[in-house]
């Protein structure tokens, strides 16, 4: 199988696997005071320090969660403080579901947030909590987060950044971005599923209200025994992940092959993650393409979500104004270990699929 669905889950990195196994073999709860508990505590704090150093936060301001869905929800509920919420139109459902009444910040045709609209929204009412992702999971589009953070500061707003797809693929530093909080997910950067984190800027650390109370873990900010093997794997993966720059030539080769077969590259005008491309093949339903490529041994995903047997165009592509083309889009996302051969196999399968679909339509 050729796995080109890294934005769903990255393959486990060997460093992460080793760290998970080592933690699994060591008993002990970080809250226990005996030697085994203290060893577990050291492992937990080492992971916290690794993530803090890697992503520009203070170790005491890293809150471990079960994943990024929880980290996004913790930021929105825990830093909301009764504020109104403004959310980018292409945010992940983890954000959308946690802020159902959010005012929507529009994007342009390449998926980039409209900063003039953000400034108008910020000026139009009381202090807000703004949610703007660093890189989009469907298109790879990178948002102007540093500029948005400056606007937010000027208007007394907080800025939560979902950095799930950016982490390990481009520089991510909470302090340098100037954001209030940052959500991360282990399995999106080559660690195991089951761990994530919310990183807080110092001024947010005192303001955060917990979502899950319990035994006082995570300084009272997230109750529950932390999943140490997953957290150890998360930190090891984060330390091993550089950026995805080396994947750019492979992604470009995949795009060139798809274009030659009739595809349109969505969001090509915007700065994008080096591992992600969203390809629309006019007239070919996304689910038909996913199945055809799966039969050819290529794992990719649709740029559209299926619900109740119907395929709904993705809100991301709809916000970009793609209309019917949105139903014809697939996402190809290269994992950290993608090879030239993977891309050659994808190119051959894509060309054969496009030719078959064109023959059928003729
Ligand atoms: N945010 C983005 C941008 C994502 O792509 C995802 C997962 O697809 C999430 C949040 C949720 O992450 P998790 O699977 O860790 O809950």
């Amino acid at each position: 199988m050729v796995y080109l669905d890294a934005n769903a889950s990255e393959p486990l990195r060997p460093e992460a696997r080793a760290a998970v196994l080592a933690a699994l073999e060591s008993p002990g709860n970080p809250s226990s005071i005996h030697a085994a508990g203290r060893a577990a505590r050291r492992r937990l704090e080492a992971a916290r320090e690794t993530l803090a150093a890697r992503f520009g936060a203070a170790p005491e301001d890293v809150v471990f969660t079960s994943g990024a869905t929880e980290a996004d929800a913790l930021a929105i509920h825990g830093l909301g403080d009764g504020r109104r919420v403004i959310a980018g139109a292409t945010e992940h459902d983890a954000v959308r579901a946690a802020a159902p009444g959010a005012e929507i910040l529009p994007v342009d045709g390449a998926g980039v947030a409209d900063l003039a609209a953000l400034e108008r929204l910020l000026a139009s009412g009381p202090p807000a909590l703004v949610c703007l992702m660093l890189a989009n999971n469907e298109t790879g589009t990178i948002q102007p987060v540093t500029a948005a953070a400056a606007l937010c500061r000027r208007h007394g707003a907080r800025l939560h950044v979902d950095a799930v797809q950016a982490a390990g693929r481009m520089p991510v530093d909470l302090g340098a971005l100037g954001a209030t909080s940052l959500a991360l997910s282990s399995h999106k950067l080559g660690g195991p599923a089951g761990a994530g984190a919310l990183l807080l800027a110092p001024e947010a650390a005192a303001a955060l209200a917990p979502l899950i109370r319990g035994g006082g873990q995570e300084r009272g900010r997230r109750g529950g025994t932390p999943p140490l093997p997953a957290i150890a794997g998360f930190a090891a993966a984060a330390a091993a992940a550089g950026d995805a720059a080396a994947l750019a030539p492979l992604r470009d080769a995949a795009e060139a092959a798809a274009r030659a077969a009739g595809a349109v590259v969505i969001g090509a005008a915007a700065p994008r993650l080096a591992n992600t491309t969203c390809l629309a093949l006019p007239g070919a339903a996304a689910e038909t393409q996913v199945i055809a490529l799966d039969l050819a041994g290529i794992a990719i995903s649709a740029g559209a979500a299926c619900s109740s047997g119907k395929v709904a165009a993705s809100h991301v592509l709809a916000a970009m104004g793609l209309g019917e083309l949105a139903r014809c889009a697939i996402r190809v996302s290269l994992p950290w270990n993608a090879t030239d051969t993977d891309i050659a196999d994808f190119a051959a399968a894509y060309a054969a699929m496009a030719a078959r679909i064109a023959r059928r339509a003729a």
Side-chain angles (χ1 to χ4, degrees):
M1 188 196 38
V2 174
Y3 186 76
L4 300 176
D5 201 14
N7 291 11
S9 261
E10 280 279 3
L12 193 66
R13 292 177 183 271
E15 298 87 347
R17 182 187 160 80
V20 170
L21 291 176
L24 278 172
E25 279 162 12
S26 316
N29 183 320
S31 297
S32 302
I33 57 173
H34 47 59
R38 293 198 305 277
R41 165 69 57 187
R42 277 195 298 278
R43 202 185 287 280
L44 178 65
E45 295 314 320
R48 198 185 306 281
E49 277 166 26
T50 300
L51 286 159
R54 181 75 173 77
F55 298 114
E60 63 274 20
D61 295 335
V62 173
V63 182
F64 285 116
T65 63
S66 60
T69 300
E70 186 188 329
D72 283 328
L74 178 58
I76 291 164
H77 295 293
L79 294 171
D81 251 355
R83 289 163 178 252
R84 63 195 182 112
V85 180
I86 299 171
T90 61
E91 292 299 297
H92 189 269
D93 280 345
V95 166
R96 283 155 45 95
E103 294 161 66
I104 300 301
L105 171 61
V107 297
D108 66 15
V112 178
D114 179 343
L115 290 181
L118 176 60
E119 180 135 44
R120 280 194 300 276
L121 281 167
L122 288 169
S124 73
L129 172 69
V130 176
C131 301
L132 186 61
M133 69 200 322
L134 192 43
N136 185 264
N137 45 300
E138 291 185 31
T139 59
T141 299
I142 296 169
Q143 297 293 357
V145 167
T146 312
L151 287 177
C152 287
R153 262 197 312 280
R154 205 175 310 145
H155 290 272
R158 291 180 175 153
L159 175 63
H160 171 63
V161 176
D162 178 328
V164 166
Q165 298 290 348
R169 298 183 180 143
M170 61 179 274
V172 175
D173 185 295
L174 173 63
L177 287 169
T180 311
S181 59
L182 196 83
L184 300 170
S185 175
S186 166
H187 73 110
K188 305 288 189 184
L189 47 72
L198 183 68
L199 275 52
L200 299 164
E203 73 276 9
L208 186 80
L211 260 189
I212 303 175
R213 294 168 203 275
Q217 292 92 346
E218 300 295 292
R219 297 170 179 257
R221 295 186 289 207
R222 200 282 187 178
T225 301
L228 204 40
I231 287 172
F234 179 16
D243 62 32
L247 296 176
L250 297 183
R251 192 270 314 265
D252 293 348
E255 285 185 350
R259 278 191 169 115
V264 178
V265 177
I266 307 296
R272 288 179 300 151
L273 291 177
N275 82 312
T276 306
T277 183
C278 181
L279 303 169
L281 191 57
E287 69 271 32
T288 306
Q289 298 180 58
V290 173
I291 293 166
L293 290 171
D294 187 38
L295 288 172
I298 315 278
I300 51 92
S301 72
C306 287
S307 64
S308 347
K310 281 192 185 160
V311 177
S314 99
H315 71 275
V316 173
L317 303 182
M320 292 165 65
L322 284 174
E324 272 308 298
L325 202 54
R327 295 181 188 277
C328 306
I330 61 166
R331 174 186 73 189
V332 178
S333 52
L334 280 57
W336 58 269
N337 57 358
T339 64
D340 289 334
T341 313
D342 292 339
I343 300 307
D345 290 350
F346 166 77
Y350 193 92
M353 172 189 76
R356 233 179 9 254
I357 290 172
R359 265 200 311 277
R360 234 179 278 143

